[in-house]
Amino acid sequence: MPPLLKLILIRIGLGVLTLLLVSVVVFVATQALPGDAAKAILGREAANKDRYEAVKEQLGLNKPVLQQYVGWLGGVVTGDLGDSLAQGSPVTGLIGRRVVNSFILVFVAALVSVPVSLILGSITALRRDTKFDTGVTVGSLTLAALPEFVIGIILILLFATQVIKVMPATSRVDSGLPILQQLELFVLPALTLTLAVAPYITRILRASTIEVLESEYVMMARLKGLPERLVLNRHALPNALAPALQVTALNLAWLAGGVVVVEYLFAFPGIGSLLVDSVANRDMPMVQAITLIIAAVYVVANLTADILTILVSPRLRTGLR
Amino acid sequence: MAPDAAPTREGEAVLKVEGLRIVLDPSGIDIDDDVSLVIHRGEVLGLVGESASGKTTVGTSLLDYQRRGAKIAEGRVQIDGQDVLAMDQRALRGIRGGRISYVPQDSSAALNPALRIGTQLLEILEVHGFGSSQQDREERLAQMMGEVLLPSDKQFLRRYPHQLSGGQQQRVAIAMAFANRPKVIVLDEPTTALDVTTQAHVLDTVRDLTRSYGVAALYITHDLAVVSNLADRIAVMYAGKVVEVGTRDELFDEGHHPYTRKLLASIPDITGQRALRGIPGWAPRPGQRPPGCAFAPRCDWAVDKCGEAFPPVETVSPGHEVRCWRQQEVGARGSVLQAEAGEREAVLMPEDDEQVISVRNVTAFYQHKETLHGITTSVAQGHCLSLVGESGSGKTTLARCIAGLHPHKIVGDIEFEGKPLARDARDRSRSIRQAIQYIFQSPYSSLNPRKTIAQILSQPLKVFFDLSRDEMEDRMVKVLEQVALDSSLLSRYPDQLSGGERQRLAIARSLAAEPTVLICDEVTSWLDVSVQAAIIELLAQLQRDMGLSMLFVTHNLALVRSISQEVAVMNDGRIVEYGLVDAVLEDPQADYTKKLLSDTPTV
Amino acid sequence: MSTPEIRVNDSELVEPVAVHADSRPSEWVMMLREAWRMGRTKIGVVIFGAIVAIAVVGPWVAPYSPTEFVAPPFSPPDIPTTWFGSDYLGHDVLTRVLYGGRTVILLALLATIIGLGLGVTLGLITGYARRWIDESIMRILDVVLAFPQIVLALLFVSILGPRLWLIVVIVGVSHAPRIARVARAATLEVAQRDFVRAAEALGIARWKILFNEILPSITSPLLVEFGLRLTYSIGVIAALSFLGFGMQPPAADWGLMINENRIGIVIQPWPVLVPVLLIGILTIGTNLIADGLGRALIGIERDTGVG
């Protein structure tokens, strides 16, 4: 087997292993922790014997733990995530549309935050110690500190309620209309996510670009008399590509977590707000499904970035030690 | 390997540096001051200096380039009468890589890891508009590769830097520098990271190319031996100033600056005729240099005046210039090597030759790779055995196997005083761990920077002895005395010491255990030559006075005469030659030893 | 393998440190001093100190009881009786703000300490242990890393309910892999230094080497990490309260206040705005401190050659 292919297959294998372990964590947390899951789910209703037995039956709690897990995992793999306890219908059907909504939200936020942070990160590195750099650095340091709901609420106060009312404070999606005609509903949530993630990414990218710019090979390119354009485009930036890829993956993974609070804040109908509702309702199959999806996004994003990094780095690609 | 061409001093001056001053930015502290140099067509000027002398900074400033943290404050750098420092960015780009080019110290870092070497070579021709067509440039590329003895086929050019050996990488960098037929070339320690045999090839290439292209070359190095065979003239730098310039013979036979003379005397002599003499103290870093002549505190000839003002340039003979208040008296002492070093005393041969350490048929692995193949050797009581070899020869691995610091598979017998040694130091008895002490290569790595010197010294004392506070203190003061360090240093941290002092401290730590065997692993390779000599003197004296048995690991064949009775030459995990030092060096039997001997530069 | 004659060529370009100067304080103290010299650290410390002071002293200076009815729900500010008006139940906003900071700060500190303790232990072990131990632990940490902190907390809250100890533990555990990565990288770097070999050659026990040789060498980056993780702990714990899974009503808590009073944001923004600003300023403060420490660390490493 070519070494490159082997390297990539090993990475994929590790990714699958991680996913498998993730499913174990999800399962253990929701179904196999010491204590009675059915009782926890029903709360006071647990006194009702029939209801109690029904829930136990539905979750398969009467079987041995390992058998429960295997059965559950089998369902997950075949797309059967069980029935929602709160709504009684299959989870798959309930979350389909919401996954799409969340995906669009994350996509829009990534579409803005990735290029913005790439550009800001590299410009501040190139113009190190200028006023622009200091401004961006201080600004990103401040913004990066703020939890996303703080940013979101400030945006709501500024644009939707108190100062200028140009935006809806909540994103009540009208399911009758195509999503593309309701884009204004995405603006504030996407902006919140962008403002929360972009500064963080910008800072990482600035640091990695500076490292490249201070490398011996960039110095050598300058001493060869190359025009600055070539120094940057041919020598510096390609070497900053690998960190940029990693950072983009980090970005996506972060967004997958960020949607929870932001969707809840804006009442945006995605999987994040659904997760919060499901936790409140103790709708375990729903919680399992959504946490699995979010963790899978992280694993897949990282895996993709790792493989792309291998492909863009000659040192890794040619597989020589 | 003497220079075969007469110095071309009367040729046209291509490069002129005048009054160059480079400072740390933003503090404004001098790195270099008042540096003036002239290099003629076809001439190699060696710029020699120890660490922190400011030599590298001078090198890049000839291309009007400074790293972050430094800037050129004043001076002129003229190439063919044009001032490089006054050029705008555009003109500067035009001459960089064109009329003046640069060969870096470490090509493995200076070649772009993400670009094929062909691309990196071709681009320097393209941006400077070499030839009239792509074909011209590709022809030139093939020619360059031939000149540096590298293949020029497509497949080789499509390789990435990491697919080349260290020597090949350095050749690529040299090819790149000569590509546009420059007038001036700056070589910044281009062989420092290479083994001697590779170094010898690279030096030959540099010599041939500068001669045949008539280039004015500045060869920067810390190693006088390297330039003494290559350079037509040598400029000696100390603490940011050029203290003496002259031909090789002028400096070696009648050096007029005390530093030049002392530096020469501290170079190990492979012929073994003269003694090795270190210079006390260390070279001060920018910001810590004393007023007046910065060498004065280390100088035997220093008078009050030296601490007050830096002397002006005085001409000894045309082209031989020196900056010392007492240059006439100093110069009158005649031949440097005889006057300053004196004859070498023979290393004593102890009568007792009972084996202390014996290694029989030892094979060692690194991960799953076999790196030592069936080694058999021994160290006798009170003797010093030198293990000599290039990087990858297995010399350090062998030393670590004996010390119990090789955490991989080892097969064979290693014995101490006739009893087998456990593989891992942890599995050895306390008395054995105490008896065998190991001194590491880098004193920057072997001393915990978070601990005070007292804490560092107390470590072996606590492990091996049961001492009261006062006894502990006494022992620490005693071992510091043995290595000539002041006991007032006890409360300091290692970073407050110079490199040489750190290595002395590391030696003191091993002495604190009261060992019978000392294993020294490349203990001088991180030190300046002048400091190296002093450490060797110290080790030789300790070994003699305390009757220690010693294993001295080094890549420098020239050092072994000054310290050891026996030598084992290693190559590729095998001992290729073993014998008494004088016998091996004077009448080598193995081809590899012969090659190593002929490739080792000497003054 | 040895590499002959590798030197630090740039030593000329380093601003001087005093060789043979009087004995100096430990590098830890040097880092704190260096950090304190920076304006941003001072601002950070002042901000952090002020907010902590509000949270600690608050309950003693509060004008009302946090559950006392002072005005009709969502009344606008009326100085001097109710500076920030009243909340959705007619309680005094100022009073509830003064009461509501303690828990979030305390929980965040606890979670960060747990995360740091766990992360550092794992980082030290993985950085200095045999390869298979290292790889298995790192694989497990990767799994924890796959869950965004808030999602991991929600996952466990879903079955065990919103308990404060649980939140502290889960937030701490979710910090651990990130801190462990930093600690492991630092440990790997230190563990290959020869002073560790030297200690091994003396036969000193592995755990002693870990704690006496390696740990002191990585404390500085860990201090920076502590500041950074504290910032995130505050964010996550406040967010959990905001989602309704932290402190439960009728407790006074900044995150909870935001959630409870959101519906009235148009008519009476203060019960939302004030806690939002306090949480925001608090995290800015801790982040400024972390950044100051980080910059100081880089400076000290450069000067002393300590890494």
Side-chain angles (χ1 to χ4, degrees), chain A residues 128-129 214 216-217 219-220 222-228 230 234-235 239 314-315 317-318 320, chain B residues 60 65 67-68 93 96-97 102 109-110 112-115 120 123-124 127-128 160 162-163 176:
Chain A
R128 204 170 155 192
D129 295 340
E214 295 205 332
E216 299 262 322
Y217 54 83
M219 163 180 157
M220 195 61 214
R222 296 214 165 102
L223 290 181
K224 280 159 87 175
L226 300 192
E228 202 56 22
L230 264 189
R234 189 183 282 174
H235 287 265
N239 283 293
R315 201 185 288 260
R317 185 175 64 212
T318 51
L320 278 181
Chain B
T60 55
Y65 183 91
R67 285 171 209 257
R68 222 181 140 72
R93 275 202 299 275
R96 282 178 181 171
Y102 179 81
N112 192 328
L115 286 180
Q120 300 191 51
E123 73 179 354
I124 198 167
V127 297
H128 292 286
Y160 287 97
H162 70 270
Q163 295 170 309
M176 208 179 275

Short mmCIF file of all heavy atoms in Angstrom, two decimals, chain A residues 128-129 214 216-217 219-220 222-228 230 234-235 239 314-315 317-318 320, chain B residues 60 65 67-68 93 96-97 102 109-110 112-115 120 123-124 127-128 160 162-163 176:
data_model
loop_
_atom_site.label_atom_id
_atom_site.label_comp_id
_atom_site.label_asym_id
_atom_site.label_seq_id
_atom_site.Cartn_x
_atom_site.Cartn_y
_atom_site.Cartn_z
N ARG A 128 2.64 43.86 11.48
CA ARG A 128 2.83 43.71 12.91
C ARG A 128 3.21 45.03 13.54
O ARG A 128 4.02 45.79 13.00
CB ARG A 128 3.95 42.71 13.11
CG ARG A 128 3.90 42.03 14.41
CD ARG A 128 4.91 40.91 14.35
NE ARG A 128 5.36 40.58 15.67
CZ ARG A 128 6.39 39.80 15.89
NH1 ARG A 128 7.08 39.34 14.89
NH2 ARG A 128 6.75 39.53 17.11
N ASP A 129 2.63 45.30 14.71
CA ASP A 129 2.95 46.49 15.51
C ASP A 129 2.51 47.80 14.89
O ASP A 129 2.90 48.87 15.35
CB ASP A 129 4.45 46.56 15.84
CG ASP A 129 4.86 45.40 16.72
OD1 ASP A 129 3.97 44.81 17.36
OD2 ASP A 129 6.07 45.08 16.77
N GLU A 214 8.72 34.77 10.19
CA GLU A 214 10.04 34.88 10.82
C GLU A 214 10.92 33.69 10.52
O GLU A 214 12.00 33.57 11.07
CB GLU A 214 9.86 35.04 12.33
CG GLU A 214 9.17 36.35 12.65
CD GLU A 214 9.49 36.86 14.03
OE1 GLU A 214 9.79 36.04 14.91
OE2 GLU A 214 9.46 38.08 14.20
N GLU A 216 13.39 31.04 8.57
CA GLU A 216 14.62 31.22 7.79
C GLU A 216 14.33 31.24 6.30
O GLU A 216 14.98 31.93 5.55
CB GLU A 216 15.57 30.07 8.09
CG GLU A 216 15.98 29.98 9.54
CD GLU A 216 17.32 30.63 9.79
OE1 GLU A 216 18.20 30.49 8.94
OE2 GLU A 216 17.46 31.29 10.83
N TYR A 217 13.33 30.43 5.87
CA TYR A 217 13.13 30.35 4.42
C TYR A 217 12.49 31.61 3.87
O TYR A 217 12.72 31.96 2.72
CB TYR A 217 12.39 29.08 3.99
CG TYR A 217 11.07 28.83 4.68
CD1 TYR A 217 9.90 29.45 4.24
CD2 TYR A 217 10.99 27.99 5.78
CE1 TYR A 217 8.70 29.22 4.86
CE2 TYR A 217 9.79 27.75 6.41
CZ TYR A 217 8.65 28.37 5.95
OH TYR A 217 7.45 28.16 6.58
N MET A 219 13.16 34.58 5.18
CA MET A 219 14.31 35.48 5.15
C MET A 219 15.14 35.22 3.90
O MET A 219 15.57 36.13 3.20
CB MET A 219 15.15 35.24 6.41
CG MET A 219 16.56 35.79 6.33
SD MET A 219 17.46 35.45 7.87
CE MET A 219 19.15 35.56 7.29
N MET A 220 15.34 33.91 3.60
CA MET A 220 16.13 33.53 2.44
C MET A 220 15.48 34.03 1.15
O MET A 220 16.16 34.52 0.26
CB MET A 220 16.27 32.00 2.41
CG MET A 220 17.35 31.48 1.48
SD MET A 220 18.99 32.07 1.93
CE MET A 220 19.72 32.21 0.31
N ARG A 222 13.70 36.62 0.76
CA ARG A 222 13.95 38.06 0.65
C ARG A 222 15.40 38.30 0.20
O ARG A 222 15.66 39.17 -0.63
CB ARG A 222 13.71 38.74 1.99
CG ARG A 222 12.26 38.66 2.44
CD ARG A 222 11.84 39.91 3.21
NE ARG A 222 10.39 39.95 3.31
CZ ARG A 222 9.71 39.61 4.41
NH1 ARG A 222 10.36 39.27 5.51
NH2 ARG A 222 8.40 39.65 4.42
N LEU A 223 16.32 37.51 0.77
CA LEU A 223 17.73 37.70 0.42
C LEU A 223 18.03 37.24 -1.01
O LEU A 223 19.08 37.54 -1.55
CB LEU A 223 18.63 36.96 1.41
CG LEU A 223 18.65 37.56 2.82
CD1 LEU A 223 19.58 36.80 3.72
CD2 LEU A 223 19.06 39.03 2.78
N LYS A 224 17.09 36.48 -1.61
CA LYS A 224 17.26 36.11 -3.01
C LYS A 224 16.78 37.22 -3.92
O LYS A 224 16.87 37.11 -5.13
CB LYS A 224 16.44 34.84 -3.31
CG LYS A 224 17.11 33.56 -2.89
CD LYS A 224 16.09 32.44 -2.73
CE LYS A 224 15.83 31.71 -4.03
NZ LYS A 224 14.92 30.56 -3.82
N GLY A 225 16.23 38.28 -3.33
CA GLY A 225 15.75 39.39 -4.14
C GLY A 225 14.38 39.17 -4.74
O GLY A 225 14.02 39.83 -5.71
N LEU A 226 13.61 38.26 -4.20
CA LEU A 226 12.27 38.05 -4.74
C LEU A 226 11.39 39.24 -4.39
O LEU A 226 11.50 39.80 -3.31
CB LEU A 226 11.64 36.79 -4.14
CG LEU A 226 12.32 35.45 -4.35
CD1 LEU A 226 11.38 34.33 -3.94
CD2 LEU A 226 12.73 35.26 -5.79
N PRO A 227 10.50 39.61 -5.34
CA PRO A 227 9.55 40.67 -5.02
C PRO A 227 8.67 40.23 -3.84
O PRO A 227 8.37 39.04 -3.71
CB PRO A 227 8.72 40.82 -6.29
CG PRO A 227 9.38 40.01 -7.32
CD PRO A 227 10.36 39.10 -6.68
N GLU A 228 8.27 41.18 -3.03
CA GLU A 228 7.49 40.88 -1.83
C GLU A 228 6.26 40.01 -2.15
O GLU A 228 5.88 39.14 -1.37
CB GLU A 228 7.08 42.19 -1.16
CG GLU A 228 6.74 42.06 0.31
CD GLU A 228 7.86 41.47 1.17
OE1 GLU A 228 9.04 41.51 0.78
OE2 GLU A 228 7.53 40.96 2.26
N LEU A 230 5.95 37.70 -4.42
CA LEU A 230 6.36 36.30 -4.52
C LEU A 230 6.74 35.73 -3.16
O LEU A 230 6.43 34.58 -2.85
CB LEU A 230 7.57 36.18 -5.45
CG LEU A 230 7.32 35.82 -6.91
CD1 LEU A 230 8.64 35.53 -7.60
CD2 LEU A 230 6.43 34.59 -7.00
N ARG A 234 4.30 32.78 -2.67
CA ARG A 234 4.91 31.49 -2.96
C ARG A 234 5.57 30.88 -1.73
O ARG A 234 5.53 29.68 -1.53
CB ARG A 234 5.93 31.65 -4.09
CG ARG A 234 6.44 30.32 -4.59
CD ARG A 234 7.51 30.48 -5.65
NE ARG A 234 6.96 30.82 -6.95
CZ ARG A 234 7.74 31.12 -8.01
NH1 ARG A 234 9.05 31.15 -7.87
NH2 ARG A 234 7.20 31.42 -9.17
N HIS A 235 6.19 31.73 -0.91
CA HIS A 235 6.98 31.17 0.19
C HIS A 235 6.27 31.19 1.54
O HIS A 235 6.34 30.24 2.28
CB HIS A 235 8.32 31.92 0.30
CG HIS A 235 9.26 31.57 -0.81
ND1 HIS A 235 10.22 30.60 -0.70
CD2 HIS A 235 9.36 32.06 -2.07
CE1 HIS A 235 10.88 30.51 -1.84
NE2 HIS A 235 10.37 31.38 -2.69
N ASN A 239 2.89 27.95 3.38
CA ASN A 239 3.27 27.30 4.63
C ASN A 239 2.34 27.67 5.78
O ASN A 239 2.36 27.04 6.83
CB ASN A 239 4.70 27.65 4.99
CG ASN A 239 5.70 26.86 4.16
OD1 ASN A 239 5.80 25.66 4.29
ND2 ASN A 239 6.39 27.54 3.27
N PRO A 314 4.24 18.76 1.89
CA PRO A 314 5.10 17.80 1.20
C PRO A 314 5.79 16.87 2.19
O PRO A 314 5.95 15.69 1.92
CB PRO A 314 6.12 18.69 0.50
CG PRO A 314 5.46 19.99 0.35
CD PRO A 314 4.53 20.14 1.50
N ARG A 315 6.19 17.40 3.34
CA ARG A 315 6.91 16.59 4.30
C ARG A 315 6.07 15.41 4.76
O ARG A 315 6.57 14.31 4.92
CB ARG A 315 7.28 17.46 5.50
CG ARG A 315 8.43 16.92 6.30
CD ARG A 315 8.64 17.77 7.52
NE ARG A 315 9.21 19.06 7.17
CZ ARG A 315 10.52 19.32 7.30
NH1 ARG A 315 11.32 18.41 7.76
NH2 ARG A 315 10.99 20.51 6.99
N ARG A 317 3.23 14.42 3.05
CA ARG A 317 2.69 13.73 1.89
C ARG A 317 3.68 12.71 1.36
O ARG A 317 3.31 11.59 1.03
CB ARG A 317 2.38 14.76 0.81
CG ARG A 317 1.70 14.18 -0.40
CD ARG A 317 1.31 15.28 -1.35
NE ARG A 317 2.48 15.95 -1.87
CZ ARG A 317 2.52 17.23 -2.19
NH1 ARG A 317 1.46 17.98 -2.03
NH2 ARG A 317 3.60 17.78 -2.67
N THR A 318 4.95 13.09 1.28
CA THR A 318 5.92 12.18 0.72
C THR A 318 6.36 11.14 1.73
O THR A 318 7.15 10.26 1.42
CB THR A 318 7.15 12.94 0.19
OG1 THR A 318 7.60 13.80 1.23
CG2 THR A 318 6.81 13.74 -1.02
N LEU A 320 8.28 10.71 4.16
CA LEU A 320 9.64 10.38 4.59
C LEU A 320 9.87 10.93 5.98
O LEU A 320 9.36 11.96 6.35
CB LEU A 320 10.66 11.00 3.64
CG LEU A 320 10.91 10.21 2.37
CD1 LEU A 320 11.95 10.91 1.53
CD2 LEU A 320 11.38 8.81 2.70
N THR B 60 24.57 39.64 7.21
CA THR B 60 23.30 39.98 6.55
C THR B 60 23.21 41.47 6.24
O THR B 60 22.51 41.87 5.32
CB THR B 60 22.09 39.57 7.40
OG1 THR B 60 22.21 40.15 8.69
CG2 THR B 60 22.00 38.06 7.52
N TYR B 65 20.03 43.69 5.25
CA TYR B 65 18.96 42.94 5.88
C TYR B 65 19.29 42.75 7.34
O TYR B 65 20.40 42.43 7.70
CB TYR B 65 18.80 41.57 5.21
CG TYR B 65 17.66 40.75 5.77
CD1 TYR B 65 16.39 40.83 5.21
CD2 TYR B 65 17.84 39.94 6.90
CE1 TYR B 65 15.33 40.11 5.74
CE2 TYR B 65 16.80 39.23 7.44
CZ TYR B 65 15.54 39.31 6.85
OH TYR B 65 14.49 38.61 7.38
N ARG B 67 17.51 40.93 10.96
CA ARG B 67 16.39 40.24 11.58
C ARG B 67 15.67 41.21 12.50
O ARG B 67 16.20 42.24 12.88
CB ARG B 67 16.90 39.07 12.42
CG ARG B 67 17.33 37.90 11.58
CD ARG B 67 18.01 36.91 12.49
NE ARG B 67 18.98 36.15 11.75
CZ ARG B 67 18.78 34.90 11.35
NH1 ARG B 67 17.65 34.30 11.63
NH2 ARG B 67 19.70 34.25 10.68
N ARG B 68 14.47 40.81 12.88
CA ARG B 68 13.71 41.58 13.84
C ARG B 68 14.51 41.73 15.11
O ARG B 68 15.10 40.78 15.59
CB ARG B 68 12.44 40.80 14.16
CG ARG B 68 11.22 41.58 14.25
CD ARG B 68 10.08 40.66 14.60
NE ARG B 68 9.23 41.33 15.56
CZ ARG B 68 8.43 42.32 15.27
NH1 ARG B 68 8.37 42.77 14.04
NH2 ARG B 68 7.68 42.88 16.18
N ARG B 93 16.20 44.82 -4.11
CA ARG B 93 15.76 43.52 -4.62
C ARG B 93 16.57 43.13 -5.83
O ARG B 93 16.88 41.97 -6.04
CB ARG B 93 14.28 43.58 -5.00
CG ARG B 93 13.35 43.35 -3.84
CD ARG B 93 12.00 42.89 -4.34
NE ARG B 93 11.34 43.85 -5.22
CZ ARG B 93 10.60 44.86 -4.78
NH1 ARG B 93 10.41 45.03 -3.50
NH2 ARG B 93 10.03 45.68 -5.62
N ARG B 96 20.06 41.88 -4.47
CA ARG B 96 20.02 40.68 -3.63
C ARG B 96 19.79 39.45 -4.48
O ARG B 96 18.81 39.38 -5.21
CB ARG B 96 18.87 40.77 -2.63
CG ARG B 96 19.13 41.65 -1.44
CD ARG B 96 17.88 41.67 -0.59
NE ARG B 96 18.04 42.51 0.58
CZ ARG B 96 17.03 42.83 1.39
NH1 ARG B 96 15.82 42.35 1.16
NH2 ARG B 96 17.24 43.59 2.44
N GLY B 97 20.67 38.51 -4.36
CA GLY B 97 20.53 37.30 -5.17
C GLY B 97 21.06 37.51 -6.58
O GLY B 97 21.16 36.58 -7.36
N TYR B 102 23.75 35.18 -0.71
CA TYR B 102 23.92 34.78 0.68
C TYR B 102 23.76 33.28 0.81
O TYR B 102 22.82 32.69 0.26
CB TYR B 102 22.84 35.51 1.50
CG TYR B 102 22.83 35.22 2.98
CD1 TYR B 102 23.72 35.86 3.83
CD2 TYR B 102 21.91 34.33 3.52
CE1 TYR B 102 23.70 35.60 5.20
CE2 TYR B 102 21.88 34.07 4.88
CZ TYR B 102 22.78 34.71 5.71
OH TYR B 102 22.76 34.47 7.06
N ALA B 109 16.71 24.76 7.23
CA ALA B 109 15.67 25.71 7.61
C ALA B 109 15.48 26.79 6.55
O ALA B 109 14.42 27.37 6.45
CB ALA B 109 16.01 26.36 8.95
N ALA B 110 16.51 27.03 5.75
CA ALA B 110 16.45 28.14 4.81
C ALA B 110 15.82 27.75 3.48
O ALA B 110 15.45 28.61 2.70
CB ALA B 110 17.83 28.73 4.59
N ASN B 112 12.70 26.31 1.49
CA ASN B 112 11.27 26.25 1.79
C ASN B 112 10.78 24.80 1.76
O ASN B 112 10.89 24.13 0.74
CB ASN B 112 10.52 27.09 0.76
CG ASN B 112 9.08 27.31 1.15
OD1 ASN B 112 8.46 26.45 1.77
ND2 ASN B 112 8.56 28.47 0.80
N PRO B 113 10.23 24.31 2.88
CA PRO B 113 9.84 22.90 2.94
C PRO B 113 8.70 22.56 1.99
O PRO B 113 8.50 21.39 1.67
CB PRO B 113 9.39 22.72 4.39
CG PRO B 113 9.02 24.08 4.87
CD PRO B 113 9.94 25.01 4.14
N ALA B 114 7.96 23.56 1.52
CA ALA B 114 6.79 23.28 0.71
C ALA B 114 7.07 23.41 -0.79
O ALA B 114 6.17 23.25 -1.60
CB ALA B 114 5.64 24.20 1.11
N LEU B 115 8.30 23.74 -1.17
CA LEU B 115 8.60 23.93 -2.59
C LEU B 115 9.68 22.97 -3.04
O LEU B 115 10.64 22.71 -2.33
CB LEU B 115 9.09 25.37 -2.83
CG LEU B 115 8.08 26.50 -2.80
CD1 LEU B 115 8.79 27.82 -3.07
CD2 LEU B 115 6.99 26.29 -3.83
N GLN B 120 12.81 26.38 -6.40
CA GLN B 120 13.54 27.36 -5.60
C GLN B 120 14.82 27.82 -6.30
O GLN B 120 15.26 28.95 -6.12
CB GLN B 120 13.87 26.78 -4.22
CG GLN B 120 12.63 26.40 -3.44
CD GLN B 120 12.91 26.08 -1.98
OE1 GLN B 120 13.54 26.83 -1.27
NE2 GLN B 120 12.42 24.94 -1.52
N GLU B 123 13.71 30.05 -9.56
CA GLU B 123 13.09 31.37 -9.32
C GLU B 123 14.13 32.47 -9.16
O GLU B 123 13.90 33.61 -9.53
CB GLU B 123 12.12 31.33 -8.12
CG GLU B 123 12.81 31.24 -6.78
CD GLU B 123 11.82 31.23 -5.62
OE1 GLU B 123 10.61 31.41 -5.86
OE2 GLU B 123 12.28 31.03 -4.49
N ILE B 124 15.31 32.10 -8.62
CA ILE B 124 16.31 33.14 -8.44
C ILE B 124 16.84 33.61 -9.80
O ILE B 124 17.19 34.77 -9.99
CB ILE B 124 17.45 32.67 -7.50
CG1 ILE B 124 18.23 33.88 -6.99
CG2 ILE B 124 18.38 31.67 -8.17
CD1 ILE B 124 19.16 33.60 -5.85
N VAL B 127 13.67 35.80 -11.38
CA VAL B 127 13.40 37.16 -10.90
C VAL B 127 14.53 38.11 -11.26
O VAL B 127 14.34 39.32 -11.33
CB VAL B 127 13.14 37.23 -9.37
CG1 VAL B 127 11.91 36.45 -9.01
CG2 VAL B 127 14.34 36.77 -8.58
N HIS B 128 15.73 37.57 -11.51
CA HIS B 128 16.82 38.46 -11.87
C HIS B 128 17.03 38.49 -13.39
O HIS B 128 18.03 39.01 -13.87
CB HIS B 128 18.10 38.06 -11.15
CG HIS B 128 18.03 38.31 -9.68
ND1 HIS B 128 18.10 39.58 -9.15
CD2 HIS B 128 17.85 37.49 -8.62
CE1 HIS B 128 17.98 39.51 -7.83
NE2 HIS B 128 17.82 38.27 -7.48
N TYR B 160 11.75 17.49 -2.66
CA TYR B 160 11.58 18.53 -1.65
C TYR B 160 12.80 18.55 -0.75
O TYR B 160 13.50 17.53 -0.63
CB TYR B 160 10.32 18.24 -0.82
CG TYR B 160 9.05 18.50 -1.59
CD1 TYR B 160 8.37 17.46 -2.21
CD2 TYR B 160 8.55 19.79 -1.70
CE1 TYR B 160 7.21 17.69 -2.93
CE2 TYR B 160 7.40 20.03 -2.42
CZ TYR B 160 6.72 18.99 -3.04
OH TYR B 160 5.59 19.24 -3.74
N HIS B 162 13.36 18.17 2.33
CA HIS B 162 13.53 17.14 3.35
C HIS B 162 13.95 15.80 2.76
O HIS B 162 14.29 14.89 3.49
CB HIS B 162 12.24 16.98 4.15
CG HIS B 162 11.12 16.35 3.39
ND1 HIS B 162 10.22 17.10 2.66
CD2 HIS B 162 10.77 15.08 3.21
CE1 HIS B 162 9.36 16.29 2.08
NE2 HIS B 162 9.67 15.05 2.40
N GLN B 163 13.89 15.69 1.43
CA GLN B 163 14.31 14.43 0.79
C GLN B 163 15.79 14.44 0.45
O GLN B 163 16.28 13.53 -0.19
CB GLN B 163 13.46 14.19 -0.47
CG GLN B 163 11.99 13.96 -0.14
CD GLN B 163 11.11 13.95 -1.37
OE1 GLN B 163 11.16 14.87 -2.18
NE2 GLN B 163 10.30 12.93 -1.51
N MET B 176 22.46 28.00 -5.51
CA MET B 176 21.54 29.13 -5.58
C MET B 176 22.32 30.45 -5.49
O MET B 176 22.07 31.40 -6.21
CB MET B 176 20.57 29.02 -4.41
CG MET B 176 19.23 29.63 -4.63
SD MET B 176 18.26 29.35 -3.13
CE MET B 176 17.63 27.74 -3.43
#
